[in-house]
Amino acid sequence: MNIKAMTLPEMTLALKELGQPAFRAKQIYTWLHKGVRSYDEMTNVSKELRSKLAQEYPFYPPEVVRRQESQRDGTIKYLWRLADGNCVETVLMRYHYGNTVCISTEVGCRMGCAFCASTLGGLVRRLEPQEMLDQVLFTQVDSGLPISHIVLMGIGEPLDNMDHVMRFLELVNSADGMNISMRHISLSTCGLVPKIRELAEKKLQLTLSVSLHAANDDTRNEIMPVNKAYPTEQLLEACRDYYKITGRRISFEYAMIHGVNDSEADARLLLKRLKGLPAHMNLIPLNHVEESPLKPSTRAAVQRFQKILEDGGVPATVRRTLGGDIDASCGQLRRKYNQEHQDR
Ligand code: SAH
């Protein structure tokens, strides 16, 4: 196992086998979770042990391939190269409540949503737990800004990589690591119903975000192929149960697409179907993706939609777009880079 994917108890065992006491494991764990780039930075560990560790447990921090900083709002977008040459994106957003990173969970995605740039090349592979952790660590190290919040809303479908995502959450939440509270973490899914049910049983304090984008099955089938496997009724049923089991209110994402899902009738149907389910709606004006004919809704349509929901008792906010000047939405930077370097 990669040493950075180990929990502290696992690392303690691994180091015991090298004849090391428990406190040493804790020192090393703390260093790794500060974002050192090599064992040589661990100044309170003997040279001998450092070279032994480098041999037995090598680790490979990601390299920054591109870094774009918004002149408008300070949003920073990173494109990282992983040890095997694949690239993923991370976005750092500076909100009043704290610095938030949006991380990727897979290289590419196999969910096929019609409006999303991340899925255009399909799924290459799932990320390892330490590759998710590294995005948080090295964004913090590079930017010099303390990270307090995480959203799993970058490239990939987190619930299609459940085991690694769960381990990542444990690592990033650990008291001897970054100690990021579960309440400061949001996990977004396109609606893998069995996995939502599995997640509910774990009773985590994180916020579950569900990418709904349409309340009507015909529309949702068209823009989100996952709906053919798990239609909206099953999905909303799973959401109701999720709330019952965890007591956590679900946050829904709704990308507003001109002429597709933004009519008054769409808003009314949505209200009807959300009845009795404590929810928060995040309305996101669609980010235009070059390869797609879909266009964002007009401002007026977004406001009308929001008002219908609010009047019906469902809190709805229009997501402020950050980093508009740096292609800061999902998958666009990786896509551009891959097209320029035709190899992946
Ligand atoms: N796979 C997960 C998380 C990654 S995407 C999911 O589907 O939820 C994070 C959010 O961005 C999702 O709600 C997704 O539907 C949305 N999204 C993707 N492409 C978009 C675009 N072009 N414009 C607006 N939102 C988009």
Side-chain angles (χ1 to χ4, degrees):
M1 186 194 266
N2 186 295
I3 192 163
K4 290 186 83 170
M6 291 180 188
T7 60
L8 181 53
E10 286 165 348
M11 202 179 290
T12 307
L13 271 179
L15 277 158
K16 201 170 164 195
E17 286 187 2
L18 299 180
Q20 296 296 323
F23 78 86
R24 191 75 71 209
K26 194 162 165 177
Q27 281 175 334
I28 291 164
Y29 188 88
T30 309
W31 278 114
L32 289 172
H33 286 243
K34 274 191 183 137
V36 293
R37 295 197 71 88
S38 88
Y39 286 109
D40 287 334
E41 290 177 48
M42 302 184 179
T43 46
N44 56 359
V45 177
S46 75
K47 245 192 160 137
E48 199 193 335
L49 180 58
R50 275 162 18 199
S51 66
K52 177 111 190 136
L53 286 168
Q55 237 174 35
E56 301 271 330
Y57 295 108
F59 65 94
Y60 307 95
E63 303 287 339
V64 180
V65 185
R66 282 199 189 159
R67 180 188 194 278
Q68 299 182 337
E69 184 160 356
S70 166
Q71 297 310 305
R72 290 183 207 158
D73 51 47
T75 298
I76 307 175
K77 180 149 189 168
Y78 294 95
L79 183 70
W80 309 101
R81 186 181 295 110
L82 308 173
D84 68 351
N86 278 304
C87 291
V88 290
E89 293 169 39
T90 306
V91 184
L92 167 65
M93 293 160 294
R94 302 166 74 168
Y95 289 115
H96 64 274
Y97 52 76
N99 299 315
T100 304
V101 283
C102 175
I103 66 157
S104 297
T105 55
E106 297 180 316
V107 180
C109 183
R110 59 184 186 133
M111 296 298 140
C113 298
F115 44 80
C116 181
S118 301
T119 200
L120 289 167
L123 175 68
V124 178
R125 69 170 175 87
R126 302 185 166 94
L127 290 187
E128 300 289 322
Q130 74 278 3
E131 291 174 320
M132 294 181 245
L133 177 67
D134 281 346
Q135 293 175 60
V136 187
L137 287 175
F138 292 106
T139 296
Q140 178 167 275
V141 169
D142 180 273
S143 67
L145 298 166
I147 308 295
S148 56
H149 292 68
I150 301 173
V151 298
L152 283 73
M153 294 188 184
I155 300 170
E157 166 53 47
L159 296 188
D160 194 32
N161 187 13
M162 183 110 170
D163 294 348
H164 290 174
V165 165
M166 289 304 123
R167 183 170 274 267
F168 157 70
L169 292 175
E170 189 179 347
L171 293 171
V172 85
N173 179 238
S174 73
D176 295 295
M178 294 198 83
N179 201 11
I180 293 182
S181 150
M182 283 289 175
R183 287 181 179 268
H184 288 184
I185 299 177
S186 294
L187 184 155
S188 180
T189 179
C190 63
L192 298 176
V193 165
K195 296 291 176 182
I196 292 176
R197 295 191 173 282
E198 210 180 309
L199 183 67
E201 295 304 331
K202 298 185 190 292
K203 299 196 173 71
L204 301 177
Q205 294 293 299
L206 53 73
T207 298
L208 178 65
S209 281
V210 173
S211 301
L212 194 56
H213 305 327
N216 149 328
D217 280 315
D218 289 339
T219 311
R220 200 163 187 269
N221 282 340
E222 247 172 65
I223 54 176
M224 301 182 73
V226 68
N227 197 67
K228 293 175 189 149
Y230 308 111
T232 51
E233 194 176 319
Q234 278 183 36
L235 175 58
L236 293 173
E237 185 66 32
C239 290
R240 288 198 161 78
D241 292 341
Y242 186 92
Y243 177 74
K244 266 186 227 149
I245 294 168
T246 64
R248 306 279 301 163
R249 180 150 67 131
I250 291 180
S251 162
F252 288 97
E253 288 152 288
Y254 198 103
M256 306 258 334
I257 311 172
H258 178 69
V260 173
N261 63 1
D262 62 352
S263 71
E264 272 189 56
D266 289 315
R268 297 201 191 286
L269 179 65
L270 183 56
L271 260 186
K272 197 167 136 196
R273 305 208 63 179
L274 289 179
K275 239 198 185 92
L277 175 61
H280 181 102
M281 289 298 305
N282 262 305
L283 304 176
I284 314 156
L286 185 80
N287 265 301
H288 180 64
V289 171
E290 249 167 60
E291 288 87 342
S292 153
L294 302 172
K295 299 250 155 23
S297 301
T298 62
R299 259 178 89 101
V302 176
Q303 281 165 359
R304 177 182 65 186
F305 204 91
Q306 181 185 24
K307 186 164 188 317
I308 295 172
L309 293 179
E310 293 265 350
D311 289 349
V314 173
T317 41
V318 180
R319 189 176 288 172
R320 190 162 62 103
T321 48
L322 293 177
D325 53 336
I326 56 164
D327 293 323
S329 59
C330 327
Q332 296 189 9
L333 188 56
R334 168 171 174 263
R335 180 120 190 106
K336 235 183 228 176
Y337 179 82
N338 286 352
Q339 278 167 349
E340 287 163 21
H341 302 75
Q342 285 296 321
D343 51 339
R344 277 171 201 279

Short mmCIF file of all heavy atoms in Angstrom, two decimals, residues 102-103 105-106 109 111 113-118 152-159 187-191 209-213 224 226 252-257 284-289 292 319 329-332, ligand 1:
data_model
loop_
_atom_site.label_atom_id
_atom_site.label_comp_id
_atom_site.label_asym_id
_atom_site.label_seq_id
_atom_site.Cartn_x
_atom_site.Cartn_y
_atom_site.Cartn_z
N CYS A 102 -11.98 22.36 -4.73
CA CYS A 102 -12.82 21.45 -5.49
C CYS A 102 -11.89 20.43 -6.11
O CYS A 102 -11.03 20.78 -6.92
CB CYS A 102 -13.57 22.23 -6.56
SG CYS A 102 -14.54 21.18 -7.65
N ILE A 103 -12.01 19.16 -5.69
CA ILE A 103 -11.05 18.16 -6.16
C ILE A 103 -11.68 17.17 -7.13
O ILE A 103 -12.88 16.95 -7.15
CB ILE A 103 -10.42 17.37 -4.98
CG1 ILE A 103 -11.47 16.53 -4.25
CG2 ILE A 103 -9.71 18.30 -4.02
CD1 ILE A 103 -10.86 15.36 -3.50
N THR A 105 -11.98 13.21 -8.53
CA THR A 105 -11.97 11.88 -7.91
C THR A 105 -11.60 10.77 -8.90
O THR A 105 -11.34 9.65 -8.49
CB THR A 105 -13.34 11.56 -7.28
OG1 THR A 105 -14.36 11.69 -8.29
CG2 THR A 105 -13.65 12.50 -6.13
N GLU A 106 -11.63 11.12 -10.19
CA GLU A 106 -11.26 10.15 -11.22
C GLU A 106 -10.54 10.88 -12.35
O GLU A 106 -10.67 12.10 -12.49
CB GLU A 106 -12.51 9.47 -11.80
CG GLU A 106 -13.31 8.65 -10.80
CD GLU A 106 -14.56 7.98 -11.40
OE1 GLU A 106 -15.29 8.62 -12.16
OE2 GLU A 106 -14.76 6.81 -11.11
N CYS A 109 -14.38 10.36 -16.68
CA CYS A 109 -15.63 9.94 -16.05
C CYS A 109 -16.41 9.10 -17.04
O CYS A 109 -16.32 9.31 -18.24
CB CYS A 109 -16.44 11.19 -15.67
SG CYS A 109 -17.98 10.85 -14.79
N MET A 111 -19.85 8.65 -16.79
CA MET A 111 -21.28 8.88 -16.59
C MET A 111 -21.97 9.51 -17.81
O MET A 111 -23.18 9.44 -17.94
CB MET A 111 -21.50 9.73 -15.34
CG MET A 111 -21.05 9.03 -14.07
SD MET A 111 -21.99 7.50 -13.80
CE MET A 111 -20.73 6.39 -13.23
N CYS A 113 -22.73 12.61 -18.94
CA CYS A 113 -23.66 13.75 -18.93
C CYS A 113 -23.40 14.65 -20.15
O CYS A 113 -22.25 14.96 -20.48
CB CYS A 113 -23.52 14.57 -17.65
SG CYS A 113 -23.91 13.61 -16.17
N ALA A 114 -24.48 15.05 -20.79
CA ALA A 114 -24.37 15.73 -22.09
C ALA A 114 -23.70 17.10 -22.03
O ALA A 114 -23.16 17.58 -23.02
CB ALA A 114 -25.77 15.90 -22.69
N PHE A 115 -23.73 17.73 -20.86
CA PHE A 115 -23.25 19.11 -20.73
C PHE A 115 -21.86 19.20 -20.13
O PHE A 115 -21.34 20.27 -19.90
CB PHE A 115 -24.23 19.89 -19.82
CG PHE A 115 -24.62 19.07 -18.61
CD1 PHE A 115 -23.77 18.98 -17.53
CD2 PHE A 115 -25.81 18.35 -18.60
CE1 PHE A 115 -24.09 18.19 -16.44
CE2 PHE A 115 -26.14 17.55 -17.51
CZ PHE A 115 -25.28 17.48 -16.43
N CYS A 116 -21.25 18.05 -19.82
CA CYS A 116 -20.05 18.06 -18.98
C CYS A 116 -18.80 17.74 -19.77
O CYS A 116 -18.75 16.76 -20.52
CB CYS A 116 -20.22 17.04 -17.85
SG CYS A 116 -18.80 16.98 -16.74
N ALA A 117 -17.76 18.57 -19.59
CA ALA A 117 -16.50 18.41 -20.33
C ALA A 117 -15.68 17.23 -19.80
O ALA A 117 -14.87 16.66 -20.54
CB ALA A 117 -15.68 19.69 -20.23
N SER A 118 -15.91 16.84 -18.54
CA SER A 118 -15.06 15.81 -17.92
C SER A 118 -15.29 14.43 -18.50
O SER A 118 -14.46 13.54 -18.38
CB SER A 118 -15.33 15.73 -16.42
OG SER A 118 -15.07 16.95 -15.82
N LEU A 152 -16.21 17.63 -3.41
CA LEU A 152 -15.85 16.59 -4.38
C LEU A 152 -16.73 16.82 -5.60
O LEU A 152 -17.75 16.16 -5.79
CB LEU A 152 -16.04 15.19 -3.78
CG LEU A 152 -14.94 14.75 -2.80
CD1 LEU A 152 -15.05 15.49 -1.48
CD2 LEU A 152 -14.99 13.26 -2.55
N MET A 153 -16.33 17.81 -6.39
CA MET A 153 -17.13 18.24 -7.53
C MET A 153 -16.27 18.50 -8.75
O MET A 153 -16.68 19.19 -9.68
CB MET A 153 -17.90 19.53 -7.21
CG MET A 153 -18.94 19.38 -6.14
SD MET A 153 -19.93 20.87 -6.01
CE MET A 153 -20.98 20.44 -4.62
N GLY A 154 -15.07 17.97 -8.74
CA GLY A 154 -14.20 18.14 -9.90
C GLY A 154 -14.46 17.01 -10.90
O GLY A 154 -15.58 16.51 -11.00
N ILE A 155 -13.40 16.61 -11.59
CA ILE A 155 -13.55 15.54 -12.59
C ILE A 155 -13.88 14.22 -11.90
O ILE A 155 -13.24 13.86 -10.91
CB ILE A 155 -12.25 15.39 -13.39
CG1 ILE A 155 -11.92 16.71 -14.13
CG2 ILE A 155 -12.34 14.23 -14.37
CD1 ILE A 155 -10.54 16.73 -14.75
N GLY A 156 -14.86 13.49 -12.44
CA GLY A 156 -15.15 12.14 -11.94
C GLY A 156 -16.42 12.05 -11.12
O GLY A 156 -17.00 13.05 -10.72
N GLU A 157 -16.84 10.81 -10.90
CA GLU A 157 -18.03 10.54 -10.10
C GLU A 157 -17.56 9.87 -8.80
O GLU A 157 -17.16 8.70 -8.81
CB GLU A 157 -18.99 9.63 -10.90
CG GLU A 157 -20.10 9.00 -10.11
CD GLU A 157 -20.94 9.96 -9.29
OE1 GLU A 157 -21.36 11.02 -9.80
OE2 GLU A 157 -21.18 9.65 -8.10
N PRO A 158 -17.62 10.61 -7.68
CA PRO A 158 -17.08 10.07 -6.42
C PRO A 158 -17.68 8.73 -6.01
O PRO A 158 -16.97 7.87 -5.50
CB PRO A 158 -17.42 11.14 -5.37
CG PRO A 158 -17.91 12.33 -6.10
CD PRO A 158 -18.12 11.98 -7.54
N LEU A 159 -18.96 8.54 -6.26
CA LEU A 159 -19.58 7.29 -5.81
C LEU A 159 -19.29 6.13 -6.76
O LEU A 159 -19.64 4.99 -6.48
CB LEU A 159 -21.09 7.47 -5.59
CG LEU A 159 -21.48 8.46 -4.49
CD1 LEU A 159 -22.97 8.41 -4.22
CD2 LEU A 159 -20.70 8.21 -3.18
N LEU A 187 -20.02 16.17 -0.96
CA LEU A 187 -19.79 15.14 -1.98
C LEU A 187 -20.92 15.20 -2.98
O LEU A 187 -22.09 15.16 -2.60
CB LEU A 187 -19.73 13.77 -1.29
CG LEU A 187 -19.41 12.54 -2.14
CD1 LEU A 187 -18.80 11.46 -1.25
CD2 LEU A 187 -20.60 11.98 -2.87
N SER A 188 -20.57 15.31 -4.25
CA SER A 188 -21.59 15.47 -5.28
C SER A 188 -21.70 14.20 -6.13
O SER A 188 -20.69 13.64 -6.56
CB SER A 188 -21.21 16.66 -6.16
OG SER A 188 -22.16 16.85 -7.17
N THR A 189 -22.92 13.76 -6.37
CA THR A 189 -23.12 12.57 -7.21
C THR A 189 -24.16 12.83 -8.28
O THR A 189 -25.09 13.61 -8.09
CB THR A 189 -23.56 11.35 -6.37
OG1 THR A 189 -23.76 10.23 -7.26
CG2 THR A 189 -24.84 11.60 -5.60
N CYS A 190 -24.00 12.12 -9.41
CA CYS A 190 -24.98 12.23 -10.48
C CYS A 190 -26.21 11.37 -10.18
O CYS A 190 -27.19 11.41 -10.93
CB CYS A 190 -24.35 11.81 -11.80
SG CYS A 190 -23.84 10.09 -11.82
N GLY A 191 -26.14 10.56 -9.10
CA GLY A 191 -27.33 9.81 -8.70
C GLY A 191 -27.22 8.30 -8.80
O GLY A 191 -28.13 7.64 -9.30
N SER A 209 -24.56 16.27 -2.14
CA SER A 209 -25.13 17.07 -3.22
C SER A 209 -25.57 16.12 -4.32
O SER A 209 -24.80 15.24 -4.70
CB SER A 209 -24.06 17.97 -3.84
OG SER A 209 -23.84 19.08 -3.07
N VAL A 210 -26.75 16.30 -4.81
CA VAL A 210 -27.22 15.44 -5.88
C VAL A 210 -27.44 16.28 -7.13
O VAL A 210 -28.14 17.29 -7.10
CB VAL A 210 -28.52 14.70 -5.47
CG1 VAL A 210 -29.10 13.93 -6.65
CG2 VAL A 210 -28.22 13.74 -4.31
N SER A 211 -26.81 15.87 -8.23
CA SER A 211 -26.95 16.58 -9.49
C SER A 211 -28.25 16.14 -10.13
O SER A 211 -28.32 15.09 -10.74
CB SER A 211 -25.77 16.26 -10.41
OG SER A 211 -24.57 16.64 -9.78
N LEU A 212 -29.28 16.94 -9.97
CA LEU A 212 -30.60 16.55 -10.45
C LEU A 212 -30.79 17.03 -11.89
O LEU A 212 -31.02 16.24 -12.79
CB LEU A 212 -31.66 17.12 -9.50
CG LEU A 212 -33.06 16.55 -9.64
CD1 LEU A 212 -33.08 15.04 -9.48
CD2 LEU A 212 -34.00 17.20 -8.61
N HIS A 213 -30.71 18.32 -12.09
CA HIS A 213 -30.74 18.93 -13.43
C HIS A 213 -32.04 18.76 -14.21
O HIS A 213 -32.18 19.37 -15.27
CB HIS A 213 -29.57 18.47 -14.30
CG HIS A 213 -28.21 18.68 -13.69
ND1 HIS A 213 -27.90 19.73 -12.86
CD2 HIS A 213 -27.06 17.95 -13.78
CE1 HIS A 213 -26.63 19.65 -12.48
NE2 HIS A 213 -26.11 18.58 -13.01
N MET A 224 -28.69 13.11 -18.89
CA MET A 224 -27.91 12.30 -17.95
C MET A 224 -28.25 10.81 -18.14
O MET A 224 -29.23 10.30 -17.60
CB MET A 224 -28.22 12.71 -16.51
CG MET A 224 -27.91 14.17 -16.22
SD MET A 224 -28.23 14.61 -14.50
CE MET A 224 -26.87 13.80 -13.65
N VAL A 226 -27.32 8.27 -16.75
CA VAL A 226 -27.46 7.52 -15.49
C VAL A 226 -28.94 7.39 -15.11
O VAL A 226 -29.34 6.46 -14.41
CB VAL A 226 -26.67 8.21 -14.34
CG1 VAL A 226 -27.26 9.56 -13.97
CG2 VAL A 226 -26.59 7.32 -13.10
N PHE A 252 -29.33 20.01 -3.78
CA PHE A 252 -29.46 19.59 -5.16
C PHE A 252 -28.81 20.60 -6.09
O PHE A 252 -28.89 21.80 -5.87
CB PHE A 252 -30.94 19.46 -5.54
CG PHE A 252 -31.61 18.26 -4.92
CD1 PHE A 252 -32.34 18.39 -3.75
CD2 PHE A 252 -31.49 17.00 -5.50
CE1 PHE A 252 -32.94 17.28 -3.16
CE2 PHE A 252 -32.09 15.89 -4.91
CZ PHE A 252 -32.82 16.03 -3.75
N GLU A 253 -28.17 20.08 -7.13
CA GLU A 253 -27.61 20.96 -8.14
C GLU A 253 -28.51 20.89 -9.38
O GLU A 253 -28.99 19.83 -9.76
CB GLU A 253 -26.20 20.51 -8.52
CG GLU A 253 -25.21 20.81 -7.41
CD GLU A 253 -24.05 19.84 -7.41
OE1 GLU A 253 -24.26 18.68 -7.04
OE2 GLU A 253 -22.95 20.27 -7.81
N TYR A 254 -28.67 22.05 -9.96
CA TYR A 254 -29.54 22.14 -11.13
C TYR A 254 -28.90 23.11 -12.11
O TYR A 254 -28.94 24.33 -11.92
CB TYR A 254 -30.92 22.63 -10.66
CG TYR A 254 -32.05 22.37 -11.66
CD1 TYR A 254 -32.95 21.33 -11.46
CD2 TYR A 254 -32.21 23.19 -12.78
CE1 TYR A 254 -34.00 21.11 -12.35
CE2 TYR A 254 -33.25 22.97 -13.67
CZ TYR A 254 -34.14 21.93 -13.45
OH TYR A 254 -35.18 21.70 -14.33
N ALA A 255 -28.25 22.55 -13.13
CA ALA A 255 -27.61 23.39 -14.16
C ALA A 255 -28.70 23.87 -15.10
O ALA A 255 -29.43 23.07 -15.67
CB ALA A 255 -26.56 22.59 -14.91
N MET A 256 -28.81 25.16 -15.25
CA MET A 256 -29.92 25.72 -16.03
C MET A 256 -29.52 25.81 -17.51
O MET A 256 -28.60 26.54 -17.89
CB MET A 256 -30.29 27.10 -15.49
CG MET A 256 -30.60 27.07 -14.00
SD MET A 256 -32.33 27.10 -13.51
CE MET A 256 -33.17 27.88 -14.80
N ILE A 257 -30.24 25.03 -18.31
CA ILE A 257 -29.92 24.90 -19.73
C ILE A 257 -31.06 25.49 -20.57
O ILE A 257 -32.22 25.06 -20.45
CB ILE A 257 -29.71 23.43 -20.13
CG1 ILE A 257 -28.75 22.74 -19.13
CG2 ILE A 257 -29.18 23.32 -21.56
CD1 ILE A 257 -28.63 21.24 -19.33
N ILE A 284 -27.40 26.61 -11.14
CA ILE A 284 -26.10 26.95 -11.74
C ILE A 284 -26.32 27.25 -13.21
O ILE A 284 -26.68 26.36 -13.97
CB ILE A 284 -25.13 25.75 -11.65
CG1 ILE A 284 -25.15 25.14 -10.24
CG2 ILE A 284 -23.73 26.14 -12.07
CD1 ILE A 284 -24.70 23.69 -10.20
N PRO A 285 -26.14 28.51 -13.60
CA PRO A 285 -26.24 28.78 -15.04
C PRO A 285 -25.21 27.91 -15.76
O PRO A 285 -24.05 27.88 -15.36
CB PRO A 285 -25.90 30.27 -15.15
CG PRO A 285 -26.03 30.82 -13.76
CD PRO A 285 -25.76 29.69 -12.81
N LEU A 286 -25.64 27.16 -16.74
CA LEU A 286 -24.75 26.23 -17.46
C LEU A 286 -23.46 26.92 -17.89
O LEU A 286 -23.48 28.04 -18.39
CB LEU A 286 -25.46 25.68 -18.70
CG LEU A 286 -24.69 24.61 -19.46
CD1 LEU A 286 -24.82 23.27 -18.79
CD2 LEU A 286 -25.16 24.52 -20.91
N ASN A 287 -22.36 26.23 -17.69
CA ASN A 287 -21.09 26.68 -18.25
C ASN A 287 -21.00 26.14 -19.65
O ASN A 287 -21.08 24.93 -19.84
CB ASN A 287 -19.94 26.08 -17.46
CG ASN A 287 -19.45 27.00 -16.38
OD1 ASN A 287 -19.04 28.13 -16.66
ND2 ASN A 287 -19.50 26.53 -15.16
N HIS A 288 -20.81 27.00 -20.59
CA HIS A 288 -20.80 26.52 -21.97
C HIS A 288 -19.55 25.67 -22.23
O HIS A 288 -18.45 26.05 -21.89
CB HIS A 288 -20.85 27.70 -22.94
CG HIS A 288 -20.85 27.25 -24.37
ND1 HIS A 288 -21.88 26.51 -24.88
CD2 HIS A 288 -19.94 27.39 -25.35
CE1 HIS A 288 -21.60 26.22 -26.14
NE2 HIS A 288 -20.43 26.74 -26.45
N VAL A 289 -19.76 24.49 -22.79
CA VAL A 289 -18.66 23.61 -23.18
C VAL A 289 -18.60 23.61 -24.71
O VAL A 289 -19.62 23.39 -25.37
CB VAL A 289 -18.90 22.17 -22.66
CG1 VAL A 289 -17.89 21.19 -23.22
CG2 VAL A 289 -18.87 22.15 -21.13
N SER A 292 -20.36 21.16 -27.05
CA SER A 292 -21.78 20.89 -26.83
C SER A 292 -22.67 22.00 -27.37
O SER A 292 -22.34 23.18 -27.27
CB SER A 292 -22.00 20.71 -25.33
OG SER A 292 -23.31 21.04 -24.97
N ARG A 319 -25.95 30.01 -7.99
CA ARG A 319 -24.53 29.94 -7.66
C ARG A 319 -23.75 31.03 -8.37
O ARG A 319 -23.87 31.23 -9.56
CB ARG A 319 -23.96 28.57 -8.01
CG ARG A 319 -22.55 28.39 -7.47
CD ARG A 319 -22.01 27.01 -7.72
NE ARG A 319 -22.63 26.00 -6.88
CZ ARG A 319 -22.43 24.70 -7.04
NH1 ARG A 319 -21.66 24.27 -8.00
NH2 ARG A 319 -23.02 23.83 -6.24
N SER A 329 -14.34 25.86 -14.88
CA SER A 329 -15.33 24.80 -14.63
C SER A 329 -14.80 23.44 -15.08
O SER A 329 -13.88 23.34 -15.88
CB SER A 329 -16.64 25.13 -15.32
OG SER A 329 -16.42 25.26 -16.69
N CYS A 330 -15.46 22.45 -14.50
CA CYS A 330 -15.05 21.03 -14.60
C CYS A 330 -14.47 20.56 -15.90
O CYS A 330 -15.12 20.56 -16.93
CB CYS A 330 -16.25 20.12 -14.38
SG CYS A 330 -17.43 20.74 -13.25
N GLY A 331 -13.28 20.06 -15.83
CA GLY A 331 -12.74 19.28 -16.94
C GLY A 331 -12.24 20.07 -18.14
O GLY A 331 -11.71 19.50 -19.08
N GLN A 332 -12.41 21.39 -18.10
CA GLN A 332 -12.08 22.14 -19.31
C GLN A 332 -10.59 22.30 -19.53
O GLN A 332 -10.11 22.26 -20.64
CB GLN A 332 -12.76 23.51 -19.28
CG GLN A 332 -14.26 23.37 -19.31
CD GLN A 332 -14.96 24.70 -19.49
OE1 GLN A 332 -14.34 25.72 -19.77
NE2 GLN A 332 -16.26 24.70 -19.34
N1 SAH B 1 -19.93 13.42 -10.86
C1 SAH B 1 -20.41 14.25 -9.81
C2 SAH B 1 -19.47 15.39 -9.42
C3 SAH B 1 -18.73 16.14 -10.49
S1 SAH B 1 -19.51 17.42 -11.41
C4 SAH B 1 -21.78 14.79 -10.15
O1 SAH B 1 -22.26 14.52 -11.22
O2 SAH B 1 -22.39 15.41 -9.30
C5 SAH B 1 -19.97 18.71 -10.32
C6 SAH B 1 -21.22 19.42 -10.78
O3 SAH B 1 -21.01 20.21 -11.95
C7 SAH B 1 -22.36 18.46 -11.12
O4 SAH B 1 -23.56 18.96 -10.60
C8 SAH B 1 -22.36 18.53 -12.63
O5 SAH B 1 -23.58 18.11 -13.15
C9 SAH B 1 -22.05 19.98 -12.86
N2 SAH B 1 -21.62 20.33 -14.22
C10 SAH B 1 -20.90 19.61 -15.09
N3 SAH B 1 -20.72 20.28 -16.23
C11 SAH B 1 -21.34 21.46 -16.09
C12 SAH B 1 -21.52 22.59 -16.93
N4 SAH B 1 -21.02 22.62 -18.16
N5 SAH B 1 -22.22 23.62 -16.44
C13 SAH B 1 -22.73 23.61 -15.19
N6 SAH B 1 -22.58 22.59 -14.34
C14 SAH B 1 -21.91 21.51 -14.79
#
